[in-house]
């Protein structure tokens, strides 16, 4: 059984897959408390449903792309079995994870989108650095959510220290409502680093508070 907050079809709003039709399986619960978290509603509640039930709902939505997200999906051990089932059913599977749990046991066919927590998140101290060793440059992505200049400088330091541009695609995402997008665009464009600034497409379409879209 998995504790699930919602399953819905939308478009992928972030990552290099942005704009694609996607079914989201949003699992309940997260041990972290990022100050800018936009999915606090996943911290509690949810409904226990079987993997078979999740597979049925995913199948009904008819998207080839499926994202397993949260909350923190890897906080539930059963998520590993769900990811394996989805991969075996030939879905293209994205796993969005907060960088706290090891990805070692995640089905290697899934694509990891890994958050590195910057100082402004309040959870910088929980980054689990060995995860970066497991990244695969042909499929995985690393996301930095940037709320201010200190976060951007931190992201640059981590990218250089771990040579992340050789290990994964790098996403630079503004924390909603915290930073002038033009400032971030200038920092990114003048950095000379091979990163991708991205906006949260779904929030521009449906608004920052919308759920299940
Ligand atoms: S890891 Fe994700 S779900 Fe958990 S508090 Fe941070 S932003 Fe929210």
């Amino acid at each position: 059984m998995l504790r699930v907050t919602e399953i819905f079809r939308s478009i992928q709003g972030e990552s290099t897959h942005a704009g694609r039709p996607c079914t989201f399986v949003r699992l309940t619960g997260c041990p972290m408390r990022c100050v800018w978290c936009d999915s606090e509603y996943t911290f509690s509640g949810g409904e226990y449903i079987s993997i078979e039930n999740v597979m049925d709902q995913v199948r009904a939505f008819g998207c080839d792309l499926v994202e397993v997200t949260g909350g923190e999906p890897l906080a539930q051990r059963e998520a590993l079995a769900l990811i394996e089932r989805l991969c075996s059913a030939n879905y293209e599977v994205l796993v969005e994870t907060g960088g706290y749990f090891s990805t070692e046991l995640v089905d290697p066919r899934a694509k990891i989108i890994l958050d590195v927590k910057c100082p402004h998140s309040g959870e910088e101290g929980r980054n689990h650095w060995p995860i970066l060793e497991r990244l695969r440059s042909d499929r995985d992505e690393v996301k930095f959510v940037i709320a201010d200049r200190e976060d951007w400088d931190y992201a640059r330091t981590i990218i250089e220290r771990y040579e992340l541009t050789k290990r994964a695609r790098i996403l630079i995402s503004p924390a909603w409502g915290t930073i002038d997008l033009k400032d971030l665009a200038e920092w990114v464009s003048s950095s000379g680093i091979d990163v991708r600034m991205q906006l949260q497409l779904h929030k521009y379409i449906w608004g920052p508070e919308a759920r299940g879209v």
Side-chain angles (χ1 to χ4, degrees):
M1 300 288 274
L2 280 160
R3 198 168 153 207
V4 179
T5 294
E6 56 188 1
I7 301 173
F8 60 97
R9 179 179 58 200
S10 185
I11 57 162
Q12 233 290 332
E14 305 182 72
S15 83
T16 63
H17 303 276
R20 298 179 61 193
C22 182
T23 298
F24 291 83
V25 179
R26 190 182 297 285
L27 302 185
T28 307
C30 181
M32 298 210 263
R33 291 294 180 267
C34 304
V35 297
W36 36 249
C37 180
D38 58 4
S39 49
E40 291 173 316
Y41 59 90
T42 67
F43 292 169
S44 59
E47 182 185 356
Y48 284 96
I49 58 178
S50 67
I51 289 177
E52 208 55 55
N53 185 325
V54 175
M55 293 297 295
D56 286 345
Q57 293 190 54
V58 167
R59 199 174 300 118
F61 281 126
C63 297
D64 295 333
L65 183 67
V66 179
E67 177 166 318
V68 181
T69 186
E72 170 51 67
L74 300 183
Q76 295 189 49
R77 193 162 181 82
E78 295 77 7
L80 298 173
L82 172 65
I83 293 164
E84 192 274 334
R85 283 287 303 274
L86 289 165
C87 290
S88 294
N90 291 324
Y91 290 104
E92 184 178 355
V93 180
L94 309 177
V95 178
E96 172 123 19
T97 179
Y100 178 60
F101 288 92
S102 171
T103 56
E104 188 175 357
L105 298 178
V106 175
D107 190 301
R109 294 171 290 182
K111 300 174 180 177
I112 302 294
I113 302 175
L114 176 73
D115 281 14
V116 172
K117 301 302 182 190
C118 293
H120 193 90
S121 72
E123 294 287 18
E124 170 198 353
R126 299 175 92 170
N127 286 313
H128 182 56
W129 301 118
I131 295 180
L132 301 180
E133 305 290 337
R134 305 192 63 80
L135 292 166
R136 300 151 304 171
S137 61
D138 65 328
R139 62 186 60 204
D140 295 336
E141 307 187 4
V142 174
K143 181 173 73 176
F144 294 86
V145 177
I146 306 295
D148 55 19
R149 178 72 200 202
E150 182 188 9
D151 281 354
W152 168 244
D153 290 339
Y154 178 86
R156 289 188 57 159
T157 299
I158 298 301
I159 291 167
E160 288 167 14
R161 180 179 301 158
Y162 293 97
E163 298 187 310
L164 287 185
T165 55
K166 296 178 184 171
R167 297 175 185 269
R169 300 171 183 127
I170 312 297
L171 311 167
I172 302 295
S173 189
W176 184 267
T178 63
I179 189 171
D180 188 325
L181 298 181
K182 292 190 279 300
D183 286 343
L184 184 57
E186 169 58 25
W187 300 340
V188 167
S189 63
S190 62
S191 71
I193 307 173
D194 185 16
V195 298
R196 177 190 301 247
M197 179 175 164
Q198 62 164 14
L199 305 178
Q200 294 172 296
L201 198 51
H202 50 293
K203 292 187 180 178
Y204 286 90
I205 298 172
W206 290 289
E209 307 298 335
R211 286 181 51 177
V213 289

